[in-house]
Amino acid sequence: SVNALSVSIGSTPVERGVSFDLAPGEVLSIVGESGSGKSMTAKALMGLLPQRATVTGTALFDGNDLLAPDANPPRGTGIGLIFQEPMTALTPVLTIGLQLTEALESHGLCSKQQSVRQAVAMLDRVGIPDAAARMRQYPHELSGGMRQRVVIAMMMLLGPRVLIADEPTTALDVTVQAQILELLREIVREMQIGLILITHDMGVVAEMADQVLVMKAGQAEEHGPVRQVFSAPQAGYTRALLKAVPRIDTVVARGSMHASEALLSVKDVSKTFPRPGAWFRREDGPRALDTVSLDVRQGETLALVGESGSGKTTLGRVIARLTDPDAGRIMLGGTDLTRLTGRALQAQRRAVQMVFQDPYASLDPRQTVGRAIAEPLILHETLSRADRSERVHALLEKVGLSADMAQRYPHEFSGGHRQRIALARAIAARPGLVVADEPTSALDVSIQARVLDLLDALKKSEHLTMLFISHDLAVVRQIADRVAVMRKGRILELGAAAAVFAAPKHPYTRALIDVAPVPDPTRQRGKRPVLQGDYPTGPLAEVSDGHWVAA
């Protein structure tokens, strides 16, 4: 029971008067934009605030006030916290087994032999195959979904009565997200624990939550049952937040692209990477791309969707010539990009620009953003310093930033602003095609909506053609003209976005759409399809005008 929780860092208030109750077997979802105070609430309850933080209010758990000056929060055994990024929550130099048993032993809950047996059983319980073998592996050897399951297992081993999950599915693709949410739902139902789910994904909120707490700038804007908040939101901020949510079940009117000519043609492109540790044995792993063919039409947005590991990013990098294919052709206009090398390749690079998933990692932290945006101009155009500076300022303003920001460094910007800077750099060279690789996956819903609007505006003003890579089907439905569905390096379905979403022809596409969360709490909750097993992967055959499906 939390009452009037307030937090100040130094003299700056960051959270004011937050109150809520949580019952056994109940899910409370805390939602809001980045910086709204969601994670600060979790840290306050766990006693993880910085030393110069001042906390007032009460948080009663088992009759004890967690916010009292001499409080010793029952971390793990009473309240467990699942962090947003499991790769940073796990120690990279320790095995999974050692990190799981360490928690049990440090709390004195059992002996070393018992802790190993319990850890293996819990890994099996959270759905990790071959659990005993996984105990000997390191975090980098597991997928993102498996790492998240390990962190959940680590918490559940200690038997907490309250579990706080801070953005547990943000960077996961739709199928892994569905599995993690199903796991959390089963844990709450079977063990009757209380779950505080911190997220910006309103589809996840609608699917999981019983109660919703909407936060903005450190304050509670609205609090109530999930159906009431979604159907009749009282606060203007809640209404704006729900309005900004892209929906997979909403029809988006877009013009037909049937008459457009192909700007880019990918013909029978294949790519295989060596197995890890097999560089000297030349042992090849599974094909990342398996004879992929598609056209990107002039002026359209073609979306590539699919699970992690389906080959989406590899295809984008091959098209941008950041990765060389093993076979096949990539025709841009009348030029085969796969045959270009040296100066000829550099001259063509301006025609295809890439926007990466993490703008912070793709911007040089030692360069000002003005210098980063000017780099393509230096490489591809002959401009005076004054003209180049004027062009950089114009590009910043085009993406909704001010010219004076050119002298700042990447760390001085928010995630949404950094993505705008990455877009400005991509269009600086006046490309014909932009490859956008998950450009909104790490952004909260309101910033995501602004970036999507910006992409649409830039596409029109700069006459761009776009290849949009994403695992978020709701975003794809909002922005795409056509959709290509990929799995295991092959395209299984390709057609107009409206047709693919309204009447998917391939069973994998239908399953992919079924597992996507919808921001509607009245929709029947329950188990979602598991996307495993074999699907038809034969050559594409045209089933209707412009709609192709794997046989």
Side-chain angles (χ1 to χ4, degrees), residues 18-336:
V18 174
S19 302
F20 60 84
D21 293 331
L22 182 68
E26 185 178 56
V27 178
L28 168 71
S29 188
I30 304 179
V31 302
E33 299 175 278
S34 297
S36 61
K38 308 187 300 293
S39 296
M40 192 66 69
T41 302
K43 290 178 180 179
L45 297 179
M46 296 293 289
L48 297 176
L49 292 172
Q51 287 187 347
R52 60 197 187 97
T54 304
V55 186
T56 59
T58 59
L60 298 179
F61 178 74
D62 272 349
N64 299 314
D65 186 1
L66 302 177
L67 306 182
D70 57 346
N72 184 21
R75 298 188 193 122
T77 53
I79 304 177
L81 176 59
I82 300 171
F83 291 96
Q84 178 172 353
E85 176 47 66
M87 193 60 182
T88 58
L90 295 169
T91 306
V93 295
L94 299 181
T95 63
I96 296 300
L98 184 57
Q99 296 185 63
L100 288 167
T101 56
E102 180 186 39
L104 288 168
E105 293 172 34
S106 64
H107 284 278
L109 298 178
C110 58
S111 66
K112 185 174 181 61
Q113 291 75 15
Q114 290 173 323
S115 69
V116 171
R117 287 196 296 271
Q118 289 188 30
V120 172
M122 185 56 73
L123 285 180
D124 186 62
R125 168 72 182 77
V126 298
I128 291 184
D130 200 7
R134 301 291 184 187
M135 294 279 285
R136 298 187 293 272
Q137 292 186 305
Y138 291 86
H140 72 272
E141 297 180 89
L142 304 182
S143 68
M146 282 192 179
R147 286 196 293 264
Q148 194 64 280
R149 288 168 185 266
V150 168
V151 175
I152 293 173
M154 190 181 297
M155 286 296 100
M156 297 315 300
L157 277 171
L158 301 177
R161 294 172 57 198
V162 171
L163 188 60
I164 303 174
D166 189 0
E167 300 277 12
T169 62
T170 296
L172 304 180
D173 66 55
V174 65
T175 53
V176 178
Q177 179 189 64
Q179 293 162 16
I180 294 297
L181 294 179
E182 184 66 36
L183 171 61
L184 288 173
R185 214 171 9 241
E186 288 179 4
I187 289 172
V188 171
R189 184 171 58 246
E190 293 177 12
M191 300 186 179
Q192 284 298 292
I193 67 171
L195 174 63
I196 298 176
L197 181 64
I198 298 172
T199 183
H200 64 250
D201 189 327
M202 301 304 280
V204 170
V205 173
E207 183 154 322
M208 291 289 293
D210 301 301
Q211 300 282 327
V212 181
L213 175 65
V214 182
M215 294 187 65
K216 179 187 179 185
Q219 291 183 295
E221 292 286 311
E222 189 163 353
H223 183 202
V226 62
R227 294 197 177 197
Q228 175 186 310
V229 171
F230 272 72
S231 62
Q234 301 300 306
Y237 175 71
T238 307
R239 290 193 292 271
L241 207 59
L242 289 170
K243 187 178 179 181
V245 177
R247 296 181 62 114
I248 194 174
D249 57 346
T250 300
V251 177
V252 180
R254 304 188 69 87
S256 174
M257 301 298 300
H258 289 299
S260 301
E261 296 180 356
L263 172 70
L264 179 91
S265 292
V266 177
K267 301 291 186 185
D268 299 325
V269 167
S270 296
K271 178 65 182 179
T272 304
F273 293 101
R275 291 186 186 277
W279 291 99
F280 300 105
R281 297 194 300 272
R282 301 306 304 160
E283 230 180 90
D284 288 338
R287 282 191 171 187
L289 298 174
D290 189 358
T291 58
V292 172
S293 297
L294 59 81
D295 291 339
V296 184
R297 297 169 181 168
Q298 182 76 45
E300 79 168 344
T301 297
L302 173 66
L304 280 179
V305 302
E307 303 169 77
S308 294
S310 61
K312 307 185 303 294
T313 295
T314 300
L315 181 56
R317 291 180 63 88
V318 165
I319 289 172
R321 278 302 307 271
L322 299 178
T323 298
D324 291 329
D326 297 333
R329 294 184 301 156
I330 302 167
M331 304 298 296
L332 183 67
T335 305
D336 186 353

Side-chain angles (χ1 to χ4, degrees), residues 274-531:
R275 291 186 186 277
W279 291 99
F280 300 105
R281 297 194 300 272
R282 301 306 304 160
E283 230 180 90
D284 288 338
R287 282 191 171 187
L289 298 174
D290 189 358
T291 58
V292 172
S293 297
L294 59 81
D295 291 339
V296 184
R297 297 169 181 168
Q298 182 76 45
E300 79 168 344
T301 297
L302 173 66
L304 280 179
V305 302
E307 303 169 77
S308 294
S310 61
K312 307 185 303 294
T313 295
T314 300
L315 181 56
R317 291 180 63 88
V318 165
I319 289 172
R321 278 302 307 271
L322 299 178
T323 298
D324 291 329
D326 297 333
R329 294 184 301 156
I330 302 167
M331 304 298 296
L332 183 67
T335 305
D336 186 353
L337 298 182
T338 61
R339 296 181 179 276
L340 299 180
T341 58
R343 290 182 182 276
L345 176 59
Q346 183 173 334
Q348 278 291 334
R349 281 200 185 279
R350 70 178 300 169
V352 182
Q353 293 290 307
M354 193 156 184
V355 179
F356 296 93
Q357 179 173 356
D358 184 355
Y360 192 63
S362 65
L363 293 169
D364 189 334
R366 299 168 298 176
Q367 278 187 348
T368 64
V369 300
R371 168 69 185 182
I373 295 171
E375 197 167 23
L377 302 176
I378 295 170
L379 290 172
H380 298 295
E381 296 192 17
T382 306
L383 295 173
S384 67
R385 180 171 294 184
D387 289 344
R388 195 161 56 237
S389 178
E390 184 178 338
R391 180 81 179 280
V392 167
H393 293 167
L395 286 165
L396 282 169
E397 290 171 356
K398 190 178 286 288
V399 298
L401 302 176
S402 59
D404 64 310
M405 292 180 176
Q407 300 307 312
R408 299 187 195 175
Y409 289 85
H411 72 272
E412 299 179 83
F413 293 88
S414 68
H417 281 170
R418 284 197 289 264
Q419 198 60 282
R420 288 171 181 264
I421 293 162
L423 286 169
R425 184 176 61 175
I427 65 173
R430 294 192 176 95
L433 175 69
V434 171
V435 180
D437 186 8
E438 300 276 13
T440 62
S441 64
L443 304 180
D444 64 53
V445 64
S446 54
I447 296 173
Q448 173 182 267
R450 291 196 286 270
V451 170
L452 291 174
D453 288 342
L454 174 62
L455 280 170
D456 213 31
L458 288 175
K459 183 184 163 189
K460 294 171 184 173
S461 65
E462 302 297 308
H463 308 291
L464 296 175
T465 301
M466 192 176 304
L467 181 66
F468 189 88
I469 299 169
S470 180
H471 65 254
D472 190 328
L473 299 182
V475 168
V476 166
R477 179 146 204 183
Q478 178 175 323
I479 199 170
D481 299 300
R482 290 193 303 145
V483 177
V485 181
M486 291 191 69
R487 186 172 194 255
K488 295 184 178 180
R490 298 184 70 91
I491 292 178
L492 303 186
E493 186 162 359
L494 173 64
V500 170
F501 282 102
K505 306 296 184 186
H506 197 280
Y508 176 75
T509 308
R510 289 196 292 271
L512 201 64
I513 292 172
D514 285 343
V515 299
V518 174
D520 180 5
T522 63
R523 174 172 161 170
Q524 183 65 38
R525 303 184 189 190
K527 283 185 176 290
R528 295 284 181 258
V530 178
L531 279 74

